[in-house]
Amino acid sequence: MAPSVVAEKLRYLEDQDTPLDKATEYNSLLTQIASNSQSPDFPTDLIAFVDSILGESLGIVTARPLLGSAVEVIQTITNVSDKIEVGTHALRILEPQVVSFDEQDAAIREILADAYTAQDDYKEAAMVLQGIQLDSSQRRLADDYKVRIWVRICRLFLEEDDPTSAERYLNRAKNLRHKVKDQELILQFQLSEARILDARRRFLEASHVYHTFSFSTLLEEEERTRALSSAIVCAVLAPAGPQRSRALAKLYKDERSQQVNEFGILEKMFLDRLLSPSEVARFADNLAPHQLARTADGSTVLAKAVVEHNLLSVSKLYSRIGVNELGNFLGLNAEKAEEYAARMLEQGRITGCINQIDGFISFEGREAGAERGSEGLIGHSSRVNLRKWDYKVQGIAEEVEQVASMIHAHHPVLQVSSN
């Protein structure tokens, strides 16, 4: 239909006095416009239609369902640029009277968000969704709908590497999280939470959420594996200490971990083995930019995590070591090595003492440190030795269990029936 014909028809309808007849005629005209969706004038005709129904010739009661029908037509536009053009124009016309058309306004904003996302313009998509009236007095909104919009805005900001804005909307969703029944939406919330924790360098918490996420049966196998890889990466980047050791143990015992590329570095960290520069470099190749960001002292997050891990490994291998030798192990000068050791000793992540006069560091070990905290070291050597023995027995038992599981996985015929 030629643009002049559409314009003339709209002018004719605007001059009519019977609302019922006008509504029918408007619907008929919209159907004709939609049937010419391949015409280059289609966006212009649709914009003219929206302008007409939101003008002064129609009341709100008549205009609202007509706008709803127009929104459905906007949704069918295949050209993304045309969809954005029509949608943004409709929002601009709606702005002065959005209270009366908040449902249609929200629908247009979601359509525009899809269009902007298709163009990888995540910031614009997030901004257009921010305009949805979720506290509207005109309609009652389900909690799932509110959470879905907030989580979507959160994920869009994460794509823009803006965790601060993302966290603000995740916190809004968190207040209604317990009321959500949609399992897929819950998963999106958990993933967003993990990504924010990851971006905030709260790696231990992120690792836990990623690992929990990886067990969801609602996800495809590839997505579960990706979540498991992220859990391992975050555990590796976390500060060395008892909490990280527990996280590494949990991931190491997960049989699926052997299938991911990060298993090699996970195994070495779990077994307290020293990491070589080449292994660290290979691991760094797959890290996200924020995971390679530099800290206040000029080192990267990964470099700091590796130094702390290697220092922890040295504390298991040596009861006493010179500061210069420790620096050689860590790839640092003696002063920097002593600084790292002093910080970890102060934080209780390793136990021991530094003799700055002689230039030596003495390590007491985790077991001795535990005894020291409650009863002191003197007079408890037998108890410390017993605890060491318990750790070794536990380690052997865990290794036997792992070997048995591997045998059962590869040779299920050999598995003995419980009957």
Side-chain angles (χ1 to χ4, degrees):
M1 185 177 289
S4 59
V5 176
V6 171
E8 289 177 5
K9 184 66 174 178
L10 289 171
R11 282 195 296 271
Y12 168 77
L13 290 174
E14 290 168 4
D15 293 335
Q16 295 300 304
D17 297 327
T18 309
L20 183 61
D21 292 342
K22 290 175 72 171
T24 303
E25 291 294 329
Y26 268 112
N27 274 318
S28 177
L29 179 59
L30 180 62
T31 301
Q32 295 179 48
I33 293 173
S35 66
N36 291 322
S37 59
Q38 302 303 316
S39 169
D41 298 318
F42 173 59
T44 305
D45 290 345
L46 195 51
I47 287 174
F49 181 86
V50 172
D51 287 344
S52 181
I53 62 175
L54 292 178
E56 299 179 355
S57 64
L58 290 177
I60 293 175
V61 175
T62 306
R64 191 176 288 149
L66 288 172
L67 181 59
S69 299
V71 170
E72 294 177 3
V73 176
I74 294 173
Q75 177 70 69
T76 64
I77 300 176
T78 55
N79 185 287
V80 176
S81 299
D82 290 344
K83 184 178 290 187
I84 291 175
E85 179 187 358
V86 177
T88 52
H89 179 86
L91 288 183
R92 188 163 57 251
I93 299 300
L94 272 174
E95 189 174 358
Q97 44 189 332
V98 67
V99 175
S100 303
F101 299 94
D102 53 354
E103 184 176 353
Q104 292 76 19
D105 178 83
I108 294 172
R109 289 181 181 278
E110 290 193 64
I111 292 171
L112 279 176
D114 291 337
Y116 283 125
T117 302
Q119 293 184 334
D120 296 332
D121 193 346
Y122 304 111
K123 185 176 180 179
E124 282 296 329
M127 291 176 64
V128 77
L129 288 176
Q130 286 176 312
I132 295 179
Q133 305 293 319
L134 295 177
D135 298 320
S136 173
S137 59
Q138 302 296 315
R139 58 182 180 138
R140 184 177 180 83
L141 298 174
D143 293 327
D144 278 27
Y145 176 76
K146 293 181 180 180
V147 172
R148 181 175 290 105
I149 294 298
W150 285 328
V151 169
R152 186 177 182 186
I153 295 173
C154 170
R155 296 176 70 184
L156 289 167
F157 276 124
L158 284 173
E159 293 297 330
E160 278 292 306
D161 293 325
D162 186 358
T164 301
S165 299
E167 189 172 18
R168 185 165 64 250
Y169 283 92
L170 188 74
N171 288 337
R172 294 186 188 183
K174 194 176 294 184
N175 294 329
L176 296 176
R177 162 69 177 78
H178 62 286
K179 297 183 179 180
V180 175
K181 306 299 181 184
D182 188 334
Q183 291 301 312
E184 183 178 350
L185 181 57
I186 292 173
L187 287 177
Q188 292 177 0
F189 176 91
Q190 291 175 336
L191 179 59
S192 299
E193 183 179 31
R195 291 179 63 186
I196 288 174
L197 291 170
D198 187 352
R200 292 290 194 184
R201 301 182 190 174
R202 293 160 61 181
F203 293 119
L204 273 178
E205 297 170 75
S207 177
H208 173 72
V209 178
Y210 275 130
H211 196 209
T212 302
F213 188 76
S214 72
F215 287 106
S216 175
T217 55
L218 297 177
L219 298 174
E220 297 291 336
E221 183 64 29
E222 183 180 352
E223 292 178 317
R224 292 200 294 268
T225 302
R226 191 181 303 117
L228 180 61
S229 295
S230 297
I232 294 174
V233 168
C234 287
V236 168
L237 294 175
Q243 288 184 323
R244 192 191 70 158
S245 296
R246 286 192 289 271
L248 291 173
K250 189 175 181 181
L251 289 164
Y252 183 73
K253 293 174 185 177
D254 190 328
E255 296 179 358
R256 302 172 302 159
S257 296
Q258 300 178 29
Q259 304 170 8
V260 300
N261 297 330
E262 295 81 7
F263 179 72
I265 197 167
L266 169 65
E267 184 175 41
K268 279 206 165 186
M269 284 199 159
F270 173 71
L271 298 175
D272 294 324
R273 295 174 182 169
L274 292 170
L275 295 172
S276 66
S278 59
E279 291 172 314
V280 175
R282 286 197 300 271
F283 178 74
D285 288 340
N286 297 319
L287 294 184
H290 73 271
Q291 294 169 335
L292 293 171
R294 296 196 173 274
T295 58
D297 61 1
S299 62
T300 65
V301 175
L302 175 60
K304 186 176 181 180
V306 170
V307 168
E308 291 181 348
H309 165 76
N310 283 343
L311 201 159
L312 187 62
S313 299
V314 169
S315 73
K316 308 292 179 60
L317 294 171
Y318 294 88
S319 59
R320 187 168 182 266
I321 188 172
V323 174
N324 290 324
E325 287 75 10
L326 177 63
N328 292 334
F329 274 116
L330 303 180
L332 303 171
N333 57 45
E335 182 180 354
K336 200 69 175 177
E338 182 179 334
E339 182 182 324
Y340 267 96
R343 185 186 304 116
M344 293 183 69
L345 286 167
E346 182 182 1
Q347 294 172 349
R349 290 189 279 159
I350 57 175
T351 54
C353 60
I354 300 176
N355 187 328
Q356 291 182 315
I357 297 176
D358 295 336
F360 277 89
I361 301 176
S362 298
F363 300 109
E364 295 169 359
R366 287 182 299 181
E367 297 83 4
E371 295 293 335
R372 180 182 181 185
S374 58
E375 301 174 353
L377 289 170
I378 301 175
H380 295 284
S381 60
S382 60
R383 189 173 300 177
V384 171
N385 289 334
L386 181 60
R387 183 163 296 185
K388 288 181 178 179
W389 175 261
D390 287 343
Y391 274 111
K392 291 179 180 178
V393 171
Q394 180 183 351
I396 292 174
E398 289 175 350
E399 290 182 6
V400 170
E401 181 183 1
Q402 183 183 2
V403 170
S405 298
M406 293 172 64
I407 292 174
H408 291 161
H410 288 84
H411 306 284
V413 175
L414 298 179
Q415 187 166 1
V416 180
S417 172
S418 58
N419 298 327

